[in-house]
Short mmCIF file of all heavy atoms in Angstrom, two decimals:
data_model
loop_
_atom_site.label_atom_id
_atom_site.label_comp_id
_atom_site.label_asym_id
_atom_site.label_seq_id
_atom_site.Cartn_x
_atom_site.Cartn_y
_atom_site.Cartn_z
N LYS B 232 -56.42 -14.65 41.95
CA LYS B 232 -57.29 -15.55 42.72
C LYS B 232 -56.55 -16.07 43.96
O LYS B 232 -57.06 -16.16 45.09
CB LYS B 232 -57.72 -16.71 41.83
CG LYS B 232 -58.48 -17.84 42.53
CD LYS B 232 -59.89 -17.41 42.79
CE LYS B 232 -60.78 -18.61 43.14
NZ LYS B 232 -60.32 -19.31 44.33
N ARG B 233 -55.29 -16.37 43.76
CA ARG B 233 -54.44 -16.88 44.83
C ARG B 233 -54.25 -15.83 45.90
O ARG B 233 -54.35 -16.07 47.11
CB ARG B 233 -53.08 -17.30 44.22
CG ARG B 233 -52.12 -17.87 45.18
CD ARG B 233 -51.65 -19.20 44.75
NE ARG B 233 -50.56 -19.60 45.65
CZ ARG B 233 -50.73 -19.92 46.90
NH1 ARG B 233 -51.94 -19.86 47.43
NH2 ARG B 233 -49.70 -20.25 47.66
N LEU B 234 -53.98 -14.58 45.47
CA LEU B 234 -53.85 -13.49 46.43
C LEU B 234 -55.16 -13.30 47.20
O LEU B 234 -55.13 -13.15 48.44
CB LEU B 234 -53.49 -12.18 45.67
CG LEU B 234 -53.46 -10.91 46.50
CD1 LEU B 234 -52.39 -10.97 47.58
CD2 LEU B 234 -53.23 -9.68 45.60
N GLU B 235 -56.27 -13.33 46.49
CA GLU B 235 -57.58 -13.20 47.14
C GLU B 235 -57.75 -14.26 48.26
O GLU B 235 -58.09 -13.90 49.37
CB GLU B 235 -58.70 -13.34 46.11
CG GLU B 235 -60.10 -13.32 46.77
CD GLU B 235 -61.20 -13.64 45.79
OE1 GLU B 235 -60.92 -13.80 44.56
OE2 GLU B 235 -62.37 -13.76 46.24
N ASP B 236 -57.45 -15.51 47.90
CA ASP B 236 -57.61 -16.58 48.86
C ASP B 236 -56.74 -16.37 50.11
O ASP B 236 -57.19 -16.57 51.23
CB ASP B 236 -57.28 -17.94 48.21
CG ASP B 236 -58.26 -18.29 47.11
OD1 ASP B 236 -59.32 -17.64 47.04
OD2 ASP B 236 -58.00 -19.20 46.34
N VAL B 237 -55.51 -15.96 49.88
CA VAL B 237 -54.60 -15.79 51.02
C VAL B 237 -55.01 -14.66 51.95
O VAL B 237 -54.92 -14.77 53.15
CB VAL B 237 -53.14 -15.54 50.53
CG1 VAL B 237 -52.25 -15.27 51.73
CG2 VAL B 237 -52.65 -16.76 49.78
N ILE B 238 -55.55 -13.56 51.39
CA ILE B 238 -55.88 -12.44 52.25
C ILE B 238 -57.29 -12.42 52.76
O ILE B 238 -57.63 -11.68 53.65
CB ILE B 238 -55.56 -11.04 51.59
CG1 ILE B 238 -56.47 -10.75 50.41
CG2 ILE B 238 -54.10 -10.94 51.19
CD1 ILE B 238 -56.22 -9.38 49.79
N THR B 239 -58.15 -13.29 52.21
CA THR B 239 -59.52 -13.30 52.68
C THR B 239 -59.93 -14.56 53.48
O THR B 239 -60.96 -14.55 54.17
CB THR B 239 -60.54 -13.17 51.53
OG1 THR B 239 -60.45 -14.32 50.70
CG2 THR B 239 -60.30 -11.91 50.74
N LEU B 240 -59.12 -15.63 53.38
CA LEU B 240 -59.54 -16.88 54.04
C LEU B 240 -58.58 -17.35 55.10
O LEU B 240 -57.36 -17.07 54.98
CB LEU B 240 -59.70 -17.98 52.97
CG LEU B 240 -60.66 -17.69 51.81
CD1 LEU B 240 -60.64 -18.87 50.84
CD2 LEU B 240 -62.08 -17.42 52.30
N ASN B 241 -59.04 -18.05 56.10
CA ASN B 241 -58.16 -18.63 57.09
C ASN B 241 -57.70 -20.01 56.62
O ASN B 241 -58.24 -20.51 55.61
CB ASN B 241 -58.83 -18.69 58.48
CG ASN B 241 -60.04 -19.60 58.48
OD1 ASN B 241 -60.08 -20.63 57.79
ND2 ASN B 241 -61.11 -19.23 59.21
N PRO B 242 -56.72 -20.61 57.27
CA PRO B 242 -56.16 -21.89 56.78
C PRO B 242 -57.20 -22.94 56.48
O PRO B 242 -57.14 -23.58 55.42
CB PRO B 242 -55.26 -22.30 57.94
CG PRO B 242 -54.77 -21.05 58.52
CD PRO B 242 -55.95 -20.11 58.41
N ARG B 243 -58.16 -23.18 57.37
CA ARG B 243 -59.17 -24.20 57.14
C ARG B 243 -59.97 -23.87 55.87
O ARG B 243 -60.24 -24.77 55.07
CB ARG B 243 -60.09 -24.32 58.34
CG ARG B 243 -61.40 -25.04 58.04
CD ARG B 243 -62.13 -25.54 59.30
NE ARG B 243 -61.56 -26.79 59.78
CZ ARG B 243 -60.91 -26.94 60.91
NH1 ARG B 243 -60.72 -25.93 61.70
NH2 ARG B 243 -60.46 -28.14 61.23
N GLU B 244 -60.38 -22.63 55.74
CA GLU B 244 -61.17 -22.23 54.56
C GLU B 244 -60.35 -22.39 53.29
O GLU B 244 -60.88 -22.82 52.26
CB GLU B 244 -61.63 -20.76 54.70
CG GLU B 244 -62.68 -20.56 55.80
CD GLU B 244 -62.89 -19.08 56.15
OE1 GLU B 244 -61.98 -18.26 55.90
OE2 GLU B 244 -64.00 -18.77 56.66
#
Side-chain angles (χ1 to χ4, degrees):
Chain B
K232 173 75 165 61
R233 181 124 172 69
L234 174 62
E235 176 187 354
D236 294 347
V237 175
I238 68 177
T239 64
L240 304 177
N241 63 36
R243 163 164 278 112
E244 292 168 335

